[in-house]
Amino acid sequence: QVQLVESGGGSVQAGGSLRLSCVVSRLPLNYCMAWFRQAPGKEREGVALSSSYGGTNYADSVKDRFTISKDSAKNTLYLQMNSLTAEDTAMYYCAAEIRWYCPPMTAREFTYWGQGTQVTVSS
């Protein structure tokens, strides 16, 4: 069983930065991890993903502003978010899927989820 715990959310003004963390209970050799977000009244959308071999992918809306990274020694996934706007306000979730190649960055493809951390950006 894989357990994920997010932290690092909060309130920030537009243009500011936040770094989210996701501690994973265990990581097998083959995994894909991702950050998703869900704003009120909207579907959960993929933000960024990271594969076990180092590949990354980003949603167009966050490219050049967000960076996904991981510290394997600490079993921790990060999401550095810069130049935040009000449109980035959402609950952010960490997700994991155990497979050798990352699936499409859609919520139904991921099995394990954290409880979420709220990010609020004021304009």
Side-chain angles (χ1 to χ4, degrees):
Q1 187 73 8
V2 178
Q3 295 180 325
L4 305 96
V5 179
E6 304 98 332
S7 62
S11 297
V12 65
Q13 289 190 333
S17 299
L18 283 173
R19 188 177 80 158
L20 306 182
S21 300
C22 173
V23 178
V24 188
S25 60
R26 66 175 185 89
L27 278 176
L29 292 177
N30 55 326
Y31 66 89
C32 183
M33 296 197 68
W35 288 98
F36 287 79
R37 66 186 181 186
Q38 188 167 19
K42 294 187 177 181
E43 292 187 356
R44 192 168 297 189
E45 64 172 351
V47 175
L49 64 75
S50 174
S51 70
S52 55
Y53 59 87
T56 59
N57 191 24
Y58 295 90
D60 288 342
S61 59
V62 306
K63 279 181 182 176
D64 301 324
R65 298 189 300 122
F66 290 11
T67 302
I68 190 171
S69 62
K70 57 181 181 280
D71 185 334
S72 298
K74 296 182 179 180
N75 275 7
T76 302
L77 181 75
Y78 300 101
L79 184 68
Q80 177 66 44
M81 307 185 294
N82 299 327
S83 302
L84 286 161
T85 72
E87 287 69 36
D88 296 314
T89 294
M91 185 72 79
Y92 283 71
Y93 297 91
C94 176
E97 178 67 12
I98 299 175
R99 66 174 81 174
W100 286 109
Y101 295 97
C102 279
M105 198 163 51
T106 55
R108 65 177 180 271
E109 297 285 351
F110 286 78
T111 302
Y112 303 100
W113 292 86
Q115 82 289 351
T117 186
Q118 177 69 37
V119 171
T120 303
V121 184
S122 57
S123 57

